[in-house]
Amino acid sequence: MKSPGGQERPSSHARGGAGRRRGRGGASGGPAGLVGVRSYPFAGQFPAPPPASGSLNCPGQARSDTAALAQPPPPPPPPAQTSPGPVKMGAVPNRRLGSVRGVPMSSPPGRRARLSSPGTGRSSSEAREELRRRLLGLIESNRVMIFSKSYCPHSARVKELFSSLGVECNILELDRVDDGANVQEVLSEITNQKTVPNIFVNKVHMGGCDRTFQAHQCGLLQKLLQEDAAFEYDLIVIGGGSGGLACAQEAAILGKKVMVLDFVVPSPQGTSWVKHNWETMTEAIQNHIGSLNWGYRLSLREKAVAYVNSYGEFVEHHKIKATNRKGQETYYTAAKFVLATGERPRYLGIQGDKEYCITSDDLFSLPYCPGKTLVVGASYVALECAGFLAGIGLDVTVMVRSVLLRGFDQEMAEKVGSYMEQHGVKFLRKFVPVMVQQLEKGSPGKLKVVAKSTEGPETIEEVYNTVLLAIGRDSCTRKIGLEKIGVKINEKSGKIPVNDVEQTNVPYVYAVGDILEGKLELTPVAIQAGKLLARRLFAGCLEKCDYVNVPTTVFAPLEYGCCGLSEEKAIEVYKKENLEVYHTLFWPLEWTVASRDNNTCYAKIICNKFDNYRVIGFHVLGPNAGEITQGFAAAMKCGLTKQLLDDTIGIHPTCGEVFTTLEITKSSGLDITQKGC
């Protein structure tokens, strides 16, 4: 296998181990190994470059459309004076990929390298794909690959930098090749950079002039240029959750040497997620989890992914330290890294919380039935846990600081809470715990909870057997050495900013899953993002993860499914006067014979009136809401409109049928209650 510098290096044996996966509630996967993406690598990270560096936009280079790029370039300035040295600025003799050739800096004006068409009989899409393959081949096969224009002063500065370092470069002058405009378009698709110079070092995209000089100032460029920079792995994934495993396996399928570092730091209750026996039910749950873990482990082994049960921490650029349970340390290097460390439950920071409270991570590891339970929080994890415990006959109270299901449609959230309250779950609104005190030990014991009102001086206290905290989760990004390599995180939340290709501000580090700033925390999202990331990194694919119109479901006692925008968000984005909301209560067939309430289930769509009544928000509360939402989500990806729903024949009698017969708008004020089937 070749290193980033093209040198041969020996393979090392994959290490075995047991995998694991987080459940429905957490998206990206484990805090494993405890260990994203702004558009511009190094932004704000390193000292500003010298004032003379200028911007990335070269003269005559501001427009990026094909027509502009195809216009003849302005007359080039006198050739830049380069520092003498052993460097060969241009194509190495006999080094070429297909018909692509580099052009020496000393080439006279007008001399053009030819990027010949792959064949006159081929379609434009085939020709474009062939061009992409050739460009990726140049990037893969050259230690330093510079795409520039002969008259660009910033390109000249970069060439002088590499010349002064005595580094051999391969250069393609886009103004001197026949298909320069097409080359720049395809490069823009690959890198999200529309300007020159566009620089790659050992297959790592450095960016343009400014960022290359910034990398030089901080030492990263020298690290990448090291002659012996033969990394042990093409990719190391830090974190063994859903997104990390998906990325690792996809990269391995594409022929890359991959390692996964995965280590679960036990919760304060000592839970590390893979042990348990809570009578027959909990034993069955743990058996299912065990079977999933075995499947993941087997899949990793079949794909030759090295799985190491150790805690990963960066020590320098491209190098991590892995510490196992015994404290033994091993060091590994890789060309690229993916952070997929996920999140862990948050604690209140009050007396007795870590000593006596549990979280959703601990629930199915209790060796006893939890008994009378207080669930603190109003997230979907809180409501799902409360609904489950109430469903098996326990006395359950939910303590809510402010609103239910923050971030979800609030009309739907209140309907979820109302249904739960009608079916035995007690809600204690506008209170927060201030102390948890153990009164008795036992299985379960007794805990006294003191809580304070968020709206006044009132305090209350009550005794419970179990207190379950579900107040959010913290990203596992603060103790994995990111500061040593300059990866930026949101200091308040621990989330990692990334660009639209999951790249952090350090160009060889990427991130997926729950730890991404401003992205959905859902397992299927992390899996999709991980797979697509591996394909972009190692297969030259361009497809990006779509974080819009992602369907999800709150598995409360009565399911709530949604896709797209909440009504509040839609009003914020589009303004209320531009929207039409269609809604109705409905009575599922299976509720009629049992004489269950005929005005509990609810359906709502939010339409943009000035975009052909396109459906921008889909919401349903009722049996099997997740199944219903999954199907309509595909339609929304295809541009679903109200007219298309009206034109669709419903399946009778189903709950999903109601969306094909919606007539009443909120603005009309008409009654939506149901009188019969």
Side-chain angles (χ1 to χ4, degrees):
M1 191 169 190
K2 288 192 175 182
S3 71
Q7 300 162 333
E8 294 293 330
R9 57 176 167 78
S11 299
S12 62
H13 294 291
R15 295 176 62 182
R20 62 121 186 100
R21 178 187 179 184
R22 268 180 40 193
R24 149 70 174 81
S28 74
L34 295 197
V35 194
V37 276
R38 279 317 305 142
S39 296
Y40 301 103
F42 310 110
Q45 178 189 352
F46 304 118
S53 64
S55 70
L56 290 173
N57 290 313
C58 300
Q61 197 63 12
R63 291 184 295 156
S64 61
D65 57 278
T66 305
L69 289 171
Q71 292 177 359
Q81 297 298 315
T82 60
S83 303
V87 57
K88 299 179 184 178
M89 303 298 284
V92 176
N94 300 322
R95 178 188 288 177
R96 58 182 293 183
L97 180 73
S99 56
V100 181
R101 295 198 303 272
V103 179
M105 284 183 64
S106 57
S107 299
R111 177 178 173 184
R112 300 164 64 90
R114 180 173 298 277
L115 195 63
S116 62
S117 300
T120 55
R122 305 182 67 173
S123 68
S124 59
S125 61
E126 289 176 327
R128 195 175 185 83
E129 185 60 28
E130 176 66 17
L131 177 57
R132 279 184 61 250
R133 283 195 293 268
R134 294 181 179 187
L135 291 176
L136 290 170
L138 281 176
I139 294 165
E140 288 280 329
S141 60
N142 289 286
R143 183 183 177 206
V144 176
M145 185 68 215
I146 301 175
F147 298 92
S148 68
K149 293 191 176 179
S150 60
Y151 54 83
C152 173
H154 308 304
S155 297
R157 289 190 67 235
V158 167
K159 296 168 190 174
E160 290 173 1
L161 172 63
F162 284 107
S163 176
S164 68
L165 296 173
V167 175
E168 180 178 310
C169 307
N170 204 57
I171 301 169
L172 187 66
E173 305 284 16
L174 302 189
D175 59 317
R176 295 184 176 179
V177 295
D178 292 338
D179 289 344
N182 290 333
V183 171
Q184 187 149 358
E185 277 194 0
V186 175
L187 271 177
S188 176
E189 293 173 355
I190 294 172
T191 66
N192 287 325
Q193 177 183 322
K194 297 179 180 179
T195 56
V196 294
N198 204 331
I199 304 146
F200 292 82
V201 178
N202 277 332
K203 297 181 283 189
V204 173
H205 181 230
M206 299 303 299
C209 176
D210 287 359
R211 288 174 181 83
T212 300
F213 272 87
Q214 289 169 349
H216 176 55
Q217 291 173 2
C218 76
L220 175 57
L221 180 60
Q222 291 86 332
K223 172 72 175 176
L224 287 172
L225 287 171
Q226 286 179 356
E227 289 293 339
D228 59 349
F231 301 115
E232 298 168 81
Y233 289 89
D234 297 300
L235 176 69
I236 290 181
V237 177
I238 304 178
S242 304
L245 293 182
C247 184
Q249 293 188 67
E250 194 68 21
I253 290 171
L254 296 169
K256 299 302 175 181
K257 188 178 180 185
V258 183
M259 171 184 281
V260 173
L261 280 176
D262 185 24
F263 185 86
V264 180
V265 175
S267 74
Q269 300 301 319
T271 304
S272 57
W273 299 351
V274 192
K275 61 176 183 178
H276 187 44
N277 69 1
W278 182 8
E279 302 177 1
T280 304
M281 179 191 67
T282 51
E283 181 180 353
I285 291 171
Q286 292 301 311
N287 286 341
H288 177 65
I289 293 173
S291 68
L292 291 176
N293 287 339
W294 171 253
Y296 298 140
R297 182 174 62 183
L298 185 62
S299 181
L300 290 172
R301 185 179 300 168
E302 289 174 346
K303 295 176 177 63
V305 175
Y307 177 89
V308 177
N309 187 207
S310 295
Y311 185 99
E313 179 183 357
F314 284 96
V315 293
E316 60 182 70
H317 283 295
H318 292 280
K319 187 175 184 179
I320 59 167
K321 176 177 68 177
T323 307
N324 65 17
R325 293 182 186 276
K326 297 180 180 180
Q328 298 169 328
E329 299 176 353
T330 309
Y331 294 86
Y332 302 99
T333 61
K336 295 181 175 67
F337 290 81
V338 171
L339 309 178
T341 54
E343 299 180 306
R344 294 301 295 271
R346 185 176 301 144
Y347 284 80
L348 290 163
I350 63 172
Q351 179 182 333
D353 62 346
K354 291 186 178 180
E355 294 87 351
Y356 308 122
C357 299
I358 68 168
T359 71
S360 59
D361 284 356
D362 306 304
L363 182 58
F364 293 110
S365 293
L366 289 177
Y368 52 82
C369 182
K372 182 180 178 181
T373 302
L374 173 68
V375 177
V376 181
S379 64
Y380 69 80
V381 173
L383 299 190
E384 288 177 349
C385 288
F388 155 69
L389 294 172
I392 61 173
L394 301 185
D395 183 337
V396 179
T397 300
V398 178
M399 185 178 287
V400 182
R401 178 178 61 86
S402 55
V403 300
L404 298 178
L405 298 175
R406 183 178 300 279
F408 287 86
D409 187 283
Q410 284 302 292
E411 180 182 29
M412 304 301 294
E414 286 302 317
K415 289 181 180 293
V416 169
S418 176
Y419 182 88
M420 292 178 67
E421 201 160 17
Q422 292 170 23
H423 289 78
V425 177
K426 297 184 283 290
F427 282 82
L428 190 56
R429 302 256 186 163
K430 306 296 183 181
F431 276 89
V432 293
V434 293
M435 184 184 73
V436 179
Q437 179 182 359
Q438 187 180 61
L439 300 180
E440 293 180 12
K441 294 182 179 181
S443 301
K446 289 186 179 180
L447 301 171
K448 182 176 78 172
V449 177
V450 179
K452 182 181 183 301
S453 170
T454 61
E455 298 182 331
E458 182 185 2
T459 61
I460 58 173
E461 61 180 59
E462 182 62 80
V463 176
Y464 301 93
N465 299 120
T466 300
V467 177
L468 189 156
L469 303 181
I471 57 173
R473 303 173 78 88
D474 292 319
S475 298
C476 303
T477 57
R478 299 188 189 276
K479 297 181 180 180
I480 56 175
L482 296 183
E483 71 284 354
K484 294 175 184 174
I485 61 170
V487 173
K488 295 177 66 175
I489 68 170
N490 182 314
E491 289 301 329
K492 182 178 180 180
S493 66
K495 299 279 190 179
I496 298 179
V498 298
N499 62 19
D500 61 352
V501 290
E502 284 82 48
Q503 185 182 39
T504 71
N505 64 302
V506 174
Y508 64 88
V509 180
Y510 299 79
V512 295
D514 293 358
I515 59 176
L516 299 189
E517 186 173 58
K519 299 295 192 294
L520 296 170
E521 300 178 7
L522 298 168
T523 297
V525 174
I527 292 172
Q528 177 80 336
K531 287 182 177 179
L532 294 178
L533 173 59
R535 292 171 188 171
R536 289 196 306 273
L537 291 178
F538 302 117
C541 296
L542 298 176
E543 186 180 358
K544 304 171 186 176
C545 184
D546 182 2
Y547 292 96
V548 180
N549 288 335
V550 174
T552 191
T553 298
V554 178
F555 292 99
L558 187 60
E559 290 183 20
Y560 163 38
C562 61
C563 185
L565 302 181
S566 66
E567 192 169 344
E568 293 82 7
K569 188 66 175 179
I571 291 172
E572 177 188 330
V573 173
Y574 294 100
K575 307 303 179 187
K576 187 172 183 177
E577 61 270 20
N578 298 326
L579 303 174
E580 196 71 87
V581 179
Y582 295 84
H583 66 151
T584 188
L585 294 163
F586 65 95
W587 197 13
L589 177 67
E590 59 264 43
W591 285 25
T592 58
V593 175
S595 298
R596 298 180 70 179
D597 185 13
N598 62 346
N599 284 297
T600 295
C601 299
Y602 181 67
K604 172 170 75 173
I605 60 170
I606 305 161
C607 301
N608 182 352
K609 291 193 291 189
F610 295 96
D611 186 12
N612 197 28
Y613 280 75
R614 182 170 60 87
V615 178
I616 59 174
F618 176 95
H619 303 270
V620 58
L621 179 69
N624 305 307
E627 304 290 348
I628 298 169
T629 305
Q630 184 70 79
F632 282 101
M636 288 181 68
K637 296 279 283 187
C638 298
L640 179 66
T641 64
K642 178 62 169 65
Q643 186 61 53
L644 287 170
L645 282 174
D646 294 343
D647 293 343
T648 301
I649 297 174
I651 302 172
H652 186 72
T654 65
C655 293
E657 172 190 20
V658 69
F659 287 97
T660 68
T661 58
L662 288 173
E663 296 178 346
I664 300 176
T665 65
K666 272 194 173 183
S667 60
S668 72
L670 296 176
D671 183 24
I672 60 171
T673 57
Q674 301 295 299
K675 305 299 188 295
C677 62

